Amino acid sequence: MSLWLNGIGVSRGVAIGRAQRLHSTDLEIPERRLQAGDIEHEITRFYGAQRRARDELKRVREQIPPGTPGDIAAFIDTHLLMMDDRSIVDTTIGHIRSAKLNAEAALKRTRDAMVAIFDQMDDPYLRTRKDDVGHVVDRIQRVLMKLSTTAAVEGAPKFDIAEQTVIVADDITPADIILLSQQKVVAFITEFGGPTSHTAILARSLGIPAIVGLRDARKWLRDGETVIVDGEQGHALAAPDAEALTFFKSKQVKLAQDRATLQLLRDKPAISKDGVKIRLLANIESPDDAIHAAELGAEGVGLYRTEFLYMNRKDLPSEEEQFEAYAKVVSAVKGPLTIRTLDLGADKQVDSGARLGPTPNNPALGLRAIRLCLREPELFRAQVRALLRASRFGEMKIMLPMISSVAEYRQAHNFMAATRIELAREGYKMADDVPVGAMIEIPAAALASPMLARECQFFSIGTNDLIQYTLAIDRVDDEVNYLYDPLHPAVLQLIQRTIQSGVRAGIPVTMCGEMAGDVRYTRLLLGLGLQEFSMHPANVLEIKRAVLDADVKSLQAQTLRLLASADIEEQQALIAAL
Ligand code: PEP
Ligand code: MG
């Protein structure tokens, strides 16, 4: 009998294959007390396991096929760095010595303490670092316990690699995703994780359909049975009947044709039917992503998140190191580039080792982003100096995250102006014009946007945070995720107000939150007057198609009517009919 299962669709596409369940990532860790004379031997055993785990991971790194998107290798590099992280290694050795624990139990103690810290973090990117710690520790544990470190290898005896396979696991490490994607794996299903989990990000980059958060998937699916995975809807269908198979096979064919047609749009300018030029830009996280983004049809970069330079390390990146990274990215990007200044919270100290205060109870409302930079001028100065020095290599804009008022914007702007004078005195060359703008991601900023627009040179709407703060829902709390609604009338009004303020003041307005890359909202956003969209590069062509198909003037008239409606149901119906 067929069985429908539902999770979160995170990587689009339809796949049909045979289920293969992987071993659990939950290990039973043995705990022993050591005799004093055995401690040094146990430490040597731990170092040996750490070395072997690192060597194996290096081999995985070498197997990454050429042409694979940069973020895949970046995941493995992060894990390689973590393998040697003193907070893992030294702490574990400390537990072996002081608590006379066997290496496995000592390592578990280290992991539990680190996970507890990550659990308190607010930022979704930093929270996914918890998975990194888990994966790195798990790999060393498996070597210590003489278990296979690779899901693909352990599955091999039951694993008919001649078949199209759907991997079903509680969680999958980035290394295993790389190895599995080189076999005949057509889809991933995991029991845990959300849209920002590793499985989700990597599956999207590799173009493999995936569902995450499908609770008890390994209980419901049996090895070898046929499963259909719809990575868009988040549905899995086990033991499908002939009718379902025919339906999904034809959906697969349509999707493949669709992908091929999208490719034809790559070099076409994004101009609506009624002649409105729309700018489609990419969100990137490393200088290497810029090249990939251009290949996928992006005209430039609307958001370069610089936090990644500060993560997975003990120290802060120096001005020189930052200068090199920014110079590389500004030279690599053909077209405009908007770099965002540091957007970290008080939780930053875990990665950088900088003492930036204790983790507060409510970090999303605390000392983060521009607030943190203004509180820590030395931290901000190094970044602003590096940015301004790199500005002479191309077209660069600087964007300030979490601006909440005109006064805060002025303070940051004055700081940058003073830094420019300081650099000029030291003889550095800089671009004459480096536009500075504010991210509009706090409701107060959207409401104050007419005033902000008189000072800023551009706006960028960060819907991820704007929705979180408007609707008072923690964007990383699974329990309240169901309330996360980009179409909430309050959110739409704030977006509209921000765009209108920008238009009236004659400054460009970009949107760089997830909403900009979601084709379900493109017509509405065009109707609201948005002309610059910045998104994950993989979405650019689909958004371009929606733009080519749109008549912006008529969408604007329809959108005005629907926003004026006082009846929420009518409003939602009008949005659906756009
Ligand atoms: C946003 O808040 O929409 C945004 C783009 O910033 P981040 O997701 O990095 O907070
Ligand atoms: Mg944000």
Side-chain angles (χ1 to χ4, degrees):
M1 210 178 59
S2 303
L3 175 68
W4 281 101
L5 300 167
N6 291 315
I8 308 167
V10 290
S11 178
R12 276 187 281 172
V14 168
I16 304 172
R18 298 219 180 258
Q20 170 68 56
R21 290 173 298 178
L22 298 186
H23 62 67
S24 169
T25 49
D26 253 348
L27 294 173
E28 282 280 328
I29 307 294
E31 182 168 330
R32 280 181 292 116
R33 293 284 153 182
L34 303 171
Q35 302 294 330
D38 294 335
I39 288 178
E40 289 313 313
H41 171 261
E42 197 63 5
I43 290 172
T44 312
R45 193 168 77 86
F46 173 71
Y47 274 129
Q50 182 225 6
R51 225 178 6 256
R52 215 186 107 193
R54 189 200 310 119
D55 292 347
E56 283 182 6
L57 201 53
K58 275 193 186 145
R59 280 199 293 280
V60 173
R61 174 81 168 77
E62 284 154 16
Q63 285 180 39
I64 298 175
T68 307
D71 49 358
I72 309 262
F75 275 111
I76 303 296
D77 288 339
T78 302
H79 287 195
L80 277 169
L81 271 176
M82 275 193 177
M83 285 271 172
D84 292 316
D85 197 305
R86 304 304 332 157
S87 54
I88 294 182
V89 177
D90 291 358
T91 316
T92 304
I93 288 172
H95 292 321
I96 298 178
R97 275 194 211 287
S98 61
K100 298 194 176 54
L101 277 178
N102 59 317
E104 292 90 335
L107 184 56
K108 178 174 183 300
R109 222 180 239 198
T110 306
R111 174 204 167 119
D112 291 348
M114 288 177 85
V115 163
I117 296 171
F118 279 104
D119 271 340
Q120 290 173 12
M121 292 184 178
D122 165 64
D123 190 292
Y125 293 97
L126 291 180
R127 275 237 293 232
T128 60
R129 299 294 116 173
K130 180 178 92 170
D131 300 345
D132 290 315
V133 172
H135 291 153
V136 166
V137 167
D138 193 72
R139 189 166 275 277
I140 305 173
Q141 286 288 19
R142 285 177 174 276
V143 175
L144 283 167
M145 293 164 71
K146 300 196 167 52
L147 296 171
S148 165
T149 44
T150 308
V153 172
E154 185 155 291
K158 296 178 283 171
F159 201 67
D160 184 356
I161 50 164
E163 295 249 32
Q164 312 268 40
T165 300
V166 174
I167 294 294
V168 186
D170 52 353
D171 185 22
I172 314 180
T173 67
D176 282 341
I177 290 184
I178 289 168
L179 292 175
L180 289 163
S181 67
Q182 289 164 35
Q183 305 194 35
K184 298 215 165 188
V185 168
V186 292
F188 294 110
I189 297 177
T190 63
E191 295 180 348
F192 301 111
T196 55
S197 63
H198 287 139
T199 316
I201 296 167
L202 291 179
R204 277 197 294 269
S205 284
L206 291 163
I208 298 178
I211 301 176
V212 300
L214 202 162
R215 300 276 156 97
D216 294 326
R218 287 170 308 151
K219 198 167 98 193
W220 298 112
L221 298 169
R222 286 189 300 266
D223 285 339
E225 83 179 331
T226 301
V227 192
I228 297 177
V229 173
D230 185 331
E232 178 162 23
Q233 302 298 330
H235 301 321
L237 177 60
D241 57 21
E243 202 182 330
L245 274 173
T246 314
F247 173 80
F248 280 103
K249 275 185 182 156
S250 78
K251 189 165 176 184
Q252 266 184 322
V253 172
K254 277 200 208 106
L255 285 173
Q257 285 166 345
D258 193 52
R259 267 198 299 276
T261 357
L262 273 185
Q263 284 311 314
L264 303 176
L265 303 181
R266 225 197 70 132
D267 299 317
K268 233 178 144 93
I271 298 178
S272 72
K273 272 190 189 150
D274 55 334
V276 181
K277 168 83 185 85
I278 303 297
R279 216 169 210 189
L280 302 182
L281 306 164
N283 294 351
I284 62 167
E285 271 132 31
S286 75
D288 292 338
D289 288 349
I291 297 151
H292 184 56
E295 284 163 10
L296 291 171
E299 291 169 54
V301 169
L303 166 63
Y304 169 31
R305 290 181 164 104
T306 55
E307 298 74 82
F308 288 80
L309 282 170
Y310 293 73
M311 279 159 49
N312 301 317
R313 55 190 296 158
K314 281 286 190 183
D315 53 348
L316 292 168
S318 65
E319 176 185 326
E320 228 32 58
E321 183 184 338
Q322 293 191 63
F323 165 70
E324 274 166 33
Y326 304 145
K328 185 173 170 192
V329 79
V330 77
S331 315
V333 174
K334 310 264 173 294
L337 162 69
T338 302
I339 304 187
R340 177 173 76 182
T341 59
L342 191 57
D343 184 9
L344 283 186
D347 38 16
K348 177 178 188 297
Q349 55 196 325
V350 173
D351 275 294
S352 69
R355 276 191 296 280
L356 298 170
T359 303
N361 288 337
N362 218 334
L365 305 180
L367 190 65
R368 54 172 294 202
I370 195 64
R371 303 168 182 186
L372 175 68
C373 289
L374 293 173
R375 174 72 71 87
E376 297 288 329
E378 285 315 310
L379 176 81
F380 197 32
R381 178 173 286 113
Q383 182 171 43
V384 172
R385 283 177 62 98
L387 284 168
L388 291 174
R389 283 174 54 198
S391 67
R392 70 189 170 101
F393 296 111
E395 189 183 337
M396 182 203 284
K397 292 185 191 179
I398 298 178
M399 170 157 94
L400 305 167
M402 294 275 298
I403 289 290
S404 62
S405 68
V406 170
E408 196 177 37
Y409 178 80
R410 276 189 195 152
Q411 199 186 342
H413 194 267
N414 292 345
F415 186 96
M416 285 194 276
T419 310
R420 178 182 265 281
I421 295 169
E422 181 184 292
L423 283 167
R425 268 204 215 109
E426 290 170 39
Y428 285 107
K429 286 203 176 66
M430 292 163 275
D432 291 335
D433 184 28
V434 183
V436 180
M439 276 194 82
I440 305 296
E441 48 185 351
I442 295 181
L447 290 167
S449 58
M451 289 168 261
L452 275 166
R454 281 187 229 126
E455 317 246 340
C456 301
Q457 284 160 289
F458 67 93
F459 283 158
S460 188
I461 307 175
T463 48
N464 306 342
D465 277 316
L466 185 62
I467 297 169
Q468 140 163 289
Y469 293 126
T470 306
L471 304 181
I473 38 164
D474 185 342
R475 65 195 251 197
V476 295
D477 183 344
D478 291 345
E479 299 300 327
V480 288
N481 247 345
Y482 71 100
L483 291 168
Y484 197 87
D485 180 12
L487 298 180
H488 192 293
V491 173
L492 296 183
Q493 281 184 35
L494 292 175
I495 294 174
Q496 183 196 35
R497 184 177 174 88
T498 306
I499 296 173
Q500 277 181 357
S501 306
V503 170
R504 287 196 187 122
I507 59 168
V509 180
T510 310
M511 178 178 285
C512 62
E514 291 299 308
M515 197 176 175
D518 190 328
V519 76
R520 289 173 299 176
Y521 309 126
T522 312
R523 293 173 71 77
L524 175 65
L525 294 174
L526 289 170
L528 287 168
L530 189 71
Q531 300 198 344
E532 290 192 12
F533 295 63
S534 190
M535 66 201 82
H536 189 287
N539 298 335
V540 167
L541 293 181
E542 200 174 18
I543 303 293
K544 192 187 280 188
R545 177 162 61 192
V547 167
L548 295 172
D549 208 35
D551 182 326
V552 171
K553 287 215 177 50
S554 101
L555 284 172
Q556 283 180 343
Q558 283 170 271
T559 307
L560 273 184
R561 268 200 304 280
L562 77 84
L563 286 184
S565 163
D567 178 340
I568 290 189
E569 275 172 23
E570 183 191 47
Q571 196 176 76
Q572 305 290 318
L574 288 169
I575 291 173
L578 272 181

